[in-house]
Amino acid sequence: MTLTEATRENLRRKSGFIDEVHMMGDIPLFSWIDISITELCNRACSFCPRVDPDDYPNQNLHASNAMIRRIADELKQINYQGGVVFCGYGEPLLHPELINLCRAFDPKTRLEIVTNGDRLTSEMVKELQAASVNCLVVSMYDGPHQIEHFKKIFDESGVDEDFYILRDRWHSKEDEFGLKLTNRAGTVHVGDQPDIDPSKPCFYLHYGLAIDWNGDVLLCVQDWNKKVKFGNVHDSSLLEIWRSAAMQKYRFPLGRGERKLLPCSQCNADGTLHGHNHVEAWEKGADYQAPEDDTGTA
């Protein structure tokens, strides 16, 4: 697929802070945190597992204020310099206490929201900016007419143009819907999917964390089956989970280009768009080595 300019802009924007390595003791710290704050979505896109409600039903489940405050407090304590994004498996604007969740973070934290924009209004944009949100990324699925619609909303809110990104996602299946299409770790097969390359490295676990609405730290946002869980933020700190043997069991082989564990062995996502600097930093530390129980199975 040829990446759209909006997708390229999104990658360039994220590279500015994701690819900067900050050390915590002798290991590189995560620089990107995906938090899925709700299990609700008002759409069912054909390239998403939600297209079949029997496979992925809507559920009225939301991240709690207490959990988000716990995460935000720890990030402040460790002087976190990376990004946090409300995205993942649901539509963030459907969370009933979205504004309060955003207010939990230190204004210095780069907080973003990825949304389909269906519930977005100029008043909500103002509230989100006042609640320390740094960027809104709007995925437009219905057609080019949405550009004018959303630009009007942002103009009326008074925010600068660098506060938002509009991504065209209205393309056909033949054009891969205008996005970097993946099989969601083997759960989606629509479109012209790239082949699964078991020897292609994946760097996500070298720089990123994926946190579900209930506090589970998941493998990554591609794992829609949520089969792999490294811990829970209610029971452990982010740093404890980040340094855990459970994460290392996946991190080390993926960095070497060995997608041998499930669901990575069924995933065709390109996990090398970010994280090169983190891999180099990991390789310099004593913690970056094959786990003793590395058997090659999940």
Side-chain angles (χ1 to χ4, degrees):
M1 166 193 172
T2 301
L3 297 181
T4 65
E5 182 54 34
T7 300
R8 293 181 186 278
E9 180 184 356
N10 193 39
L11 292 174
R12 289 192 295 266
R13 170 187 59 84
K14 293 167 65 175
S15 294
F17 55 93
I18 286 183
D19 294 334
E20 184 173 349
V21 179
H22 295 273
M23 302 298 292
M24 181 58 64
D26 58 347
I27 66 168
L29 190 62
F30 43 86
S31 60
W32 184 250
I33 305 175
D34 287 281
I35 306 180
S36 185
I37 61 174
T38 180
E39 275 294 295
L40 288 178
C41 190
N42 60 307
R43 288 183 177 245
C45 301
S46 61
F47 50 83
C48 173
R50 287 184 180 275
V51 69
D52 187 344
D54 291 331
D55 288 339
Y56 205 100
N58 256 346
Q59 300 183 80
N60 193 29
L61 302 171
H62 309 287
S64 68
N65 275 295
M67 185 192 89
I68 297 300
R69 283 196 301 271
R70 180 186 179 100
I71 293 171
D73 288 345
E74 181 176 351
L75 295 182
K76 186 175 182 178
Q77 290 171 7
I78 64 175
N79 191 30
Y80 180 62
Q81 302 295 307
V84 175
V85 60
F86 289 167
C87 186
Y89 306 103
E91 167 51 49
L93 300 194
L94 296 181
H95 194 293
E97 296 187 67
L98 175 62
I99 302 300
N100 286 332
L101 299 190
C102 297
R103 287 175 178 152
F105 290 92
D106 188 295
K108 296 180 181 179
T109 300
R110 183 176 180 87
L111 178 60
E112 304 187 0
I113 296 176
V114 176
T115 174
N116 58 38
D118 291 347
R119 301 296 180 91
L120 199 62
T121 65
S122 59
E123 287 303 314
M124 181 181 290
V125 172
K126 293 177 185 178
E127 288 185 283
L128 291 170
Q129 186 184 49
S132 299
V133 173
N134 299 102
C135 182
L136 279 175
V137 181
V138 181
S139 298
M140 302 176 293
Y141 297 107
D142 297 338
H145 65 278
Q146 288 188 289
I147 297 176
E148 182 178 354
H149 168 72
F150 285 116
K151 282 190 173 182
K152 181 179 179 181
I153 287 176
F154 286 112
D155 286 345
E156 291 177 349
S157 71
V159 299
D160 295 332
E161 288 189 0
D162 60 1
F163 181 77
Y164 65 93
I165 292 177
L166 302 181
R167 301 192 299 192
D168 47 321
R169 295 290 190 258
W170 58 73
H171 301 274
S172 66
K173 180 174 68 174
E174 288 69 30
D175 200 22
E176 299 185 29
F177 308 101
L179 50 77
K180 193 167 181 62
L181 197 63
T182 72
N183 66 1
R184 302 298 201 275
T187 59
V188 174
H189 305 285
V190 67
D192 185 17
Q193 291 278 351
D195 293 333
I196 297 171
D197 184 354
S199 65
K200 186 171 182 60
C202 180
F203 301 151
Y204 181 77
L205 291 183
H206 295 74
Y207 71 89
L209 286 171
I211 304 175
D212 207 4
W213 68 272
N214 62 353
D216 285 338
V217 178
L218 306 175
L219 176 66
C220 73
V221 292
Q222 298 291 335
D223 182 16
W224 278 71
N225 285 322
K226 304 181 182 180
K227 295 295 186 182
V228 179
K229 300 172 184 177
F230 297 127
N232 189 287
V233 299
H234 293 289
D235 305 319
S236 306
S237 71
L238 296 178
L239 287 178
E240 288 171 336
I241 296 172
W242 183 242
R243 300 193 67 150
S244 68
M247 283 201 78
Q248 190 69 346
K249 179 181 178 181
Y250 277 80
R251 179 184 290 129
F252 180 79
L254 286 172
R256 294 186 301 180
E258 298 177 5
R259 298 194 183 201
K260 56 186 179 179
L261 299 175
L262 289 171
C264 304
S265 60
Q266 299 177 349
C267 181
N268 63 4
D270 184 354
T272 63
L273 299 178
H274 300 286
H276 293 270
N277 296 340
H278 287 77
V279 172
E280 291 181 6
W282 273 104
E283 289 175 341
K284 295 176 182 177
D287 281 357
Y288 195 70
Q289 54 188 319
E292 294 181 1
D293 62 342
D294 185 17
T295 61
T297 59

